[in-house]
Amino acid sequence: METADFLAETSRKVEAFLEQVLPRAGRYPQSLTDAMRYSALDGGKRLRPALTLAAAESVGGDPERSLPIAAAIEMIHTYSLIHDDLPAMDDDTYRRGKLTCHRRFTEATAILAGDALLTQAFQVMGEAEGIAEVDRLAIMVEIARACGPAGLIGGQMADLEAEGQEIDLPALEYIHTHKTGALIQACVRCGGIVAGGNNRQLEALSTYGRRVGLGFQIIDDILDIEANPEETGKETGRDHRRNKATYPALFGLDFSRQRARELIEEAGRALDDFGPDGDRLRGLARFVEQRNR
Ligand code: GRG
């Protein structure tokens, strides 16, 4: 199956799963329900769930068993986007081709919808069927670490503080690897854990995830300059307007593209021992490099 078809199929599965676990439309308090459903359903590339399913496959497991974890990660990713778009953060108007959550509802509703998606995601992981208790615990710790002060939140704080500042490469890579890379790395590790991957396989998945995570954010920085907003579903030029530290701002577009290409090649090499079972992850790494949205 082509990577584009795999992403489309993953989207359908995640959508159906989220329909089951999210509060039903119309449920009280309706603004919260509406905002959670508005942001989580019908949107995004669903790359992180695809990475989770593909990682399970890469160590010889049944990807279907990792679907609850994949969907929970997408809930967390959605929360991070809702909060990232808030006026106190990036203050964005469009996301996934529609108004951001706080523009469509209210700021307070958007904050609570993000909080609700984050907390419910841990419930979904804790209740995931067909995954041993010890693995569910390991996964929840893995995800909590990736999203906490040593991961996504730490990276976001550093990113906000770097606005308008001159920063060096280590500081930029701290931001990228924490704000974006940590969750991407956790996606593949968790897929590997669900499928019973051994330590060596989990190490290889970590390396793959680190490389793809950094490559993903460099491409995101490039797309913020070059992409068509109709394809990305969000405005371009936001980084420049906010004087953000990015790869292209520090090193130019050509170097940034080259660096992303190297990272994706390194990600592929990390899977050398996986044989054909790693093909799906290899395809997703190429998608990350070549994406236009
Ligand atoms: C707790 C108040 C509070 C705020 C937290 C968590 C957070 C703020 C920010 C997260 C950082 C963030 C949004 C990083 C950007 C990562 C990124 C490039 C996201 C876009 O991912 P895509 O392109 O999006 O996969 P789709 O829409 O396709 O899912």
Side-chain angles (χ1 to χ4, degrees):
M1 192 191 298
E2 293 293 324
T3 301
D5 297 329
F6 178 63
L7 279 165
E9 188 186 273
T10 303
S11 280
R12 281 192 292 277
K13 288 179 185 167
V14 168
E15 199 76 13
F17 188 92
L18 290 177
E19 267 293 351
Q20 292 302 311
V21 295
L22 287 172
R24 293 251 174 275
R27 174 150 154 212
Y28 184 83
Q30 197 171 333
S31 311
L32 179 66
T33 300
D34 288 350
M36 290 171 77
R37 296 177 63 86
Y38 173 82
S39 292
L41 296 174
D42 187 27
K45 296 179 284 297
R46 310 300 197 196
L47 172 68
R48 289 155 193 79
L51 286 167
T52 305
L53 300 184
E57 190 176 307
S58 76
V59 299
D62 171 12
E64 291 306 310
R65 278 181 52 232
S66 65
L67 183 60
I69 307 302
I73 290 172
E74 185 66 13
M75 292 168 80
I76 294 175
H77 169 59
T78 305
Y79 127 79
S80 82
L81 299 180
I82 294 173
H83 281 197
D84 190 55
D85 290 336
L86 287 168
M89 305 266 167
D90 279 1
D91 195 11
D92 279 315
T93 306
Y94 296 101
R95 167 73 68 182
R96 294 177 163 175
K98 52 192 183 186
L99 285 174
T100 48
C101 191
H102 67 277
R103 294 274 181 153
R104 169 66 181 76
F105 299 91
T106 66
E107 205 177 320
T109 307
I111 292 170
L112 292 174
D115 292 342
L117 287 166
L118 173 64
T119 41
Q120 203 195 343
F122 280 89
Q123 181 187 345
V124 168
M125 290 187 273
E127 293 175 350
E129 283 172 13
I131 304 176
E133 211 170 299
V134 62
D135 290 340
R136 271 182 278 147
L137 182 62
I139 285 166
M140 288 162 78
V141 170
E142 191 86 42
I143 300 287
R145 190 182 296 123
C147 296
L152 187 142
I153 301 283
Q156 177 78 355
M157 190 75 243
D159 190 26
L160 289 173
E161 286 183 344
E163 279 179 20
Q165 307 290 318
E166 292 218 344
I167 64 166
D168 57 11
L169 179 61
L172 179 65
E173 293 212 339
Y174 175 92
I175 293 171
H176 283 6
T177 53
H178 288 72
K179 183 180 83 164
T180 309
L183 187 58
I184 288 183
Q185 186 181 343
C187 289
V188 285
R189 283 185 56 84
C190 290
I193 292 170
V194 173
N198 61 36
N199 282 344
R200 217 161 52 89
Q201 289 171 318
L202 293 182
E203 253 326 294
L205 288 173
S206 291
T207 304
Y208 167 94
R210 263 197 307 279
R211 303 291 188 274
V212 167
L214 181 55
F216 178 91
Q217 185 58 55
I218 295 174
I219 297 290
D220 210 69
D221 292 349
I222 296 173
L223 289 176
D224 187 64
I225 298 170
E226 293 191 325
N228 176 354
E230 294 202 352
E231 279 169 334
T232 58
K234 56 189 181 187
E235 289 169 281
T236 45
R238 292 139 64 242
D239 293 338
H240 182 68
R241 277 197 296 282
R242 291 184 68 87
N243 212 348
K244 285 240 186 214
T246 67
Y247 247 83
L250 247 67
F251 304 112
L253 281 166
D254 287 345
F255 178 89
S256 303
R257 251 185 238 106
Q258 178 59 28
R259 179 81 178 114
R261 195 169 308 127
E262 282 164 14
L263 285 160
I264 297 304
E265 278 166 16
E266 286 170 26
R269 281 201 294 279
L271 304 177
D272 277 352
D273 288 347
F274 286 58
D277 286 349
D279 281 351
R280 196 84 77 200
L281 282 179
R282 293 185 189 98
L284 287 168
R286 282 193 297 277
F287 168 81
V288 163
E289 188 203 335
Q290 290 158 9
R291 71 198 177 99
N292 57 5
R293 64 189 173 103

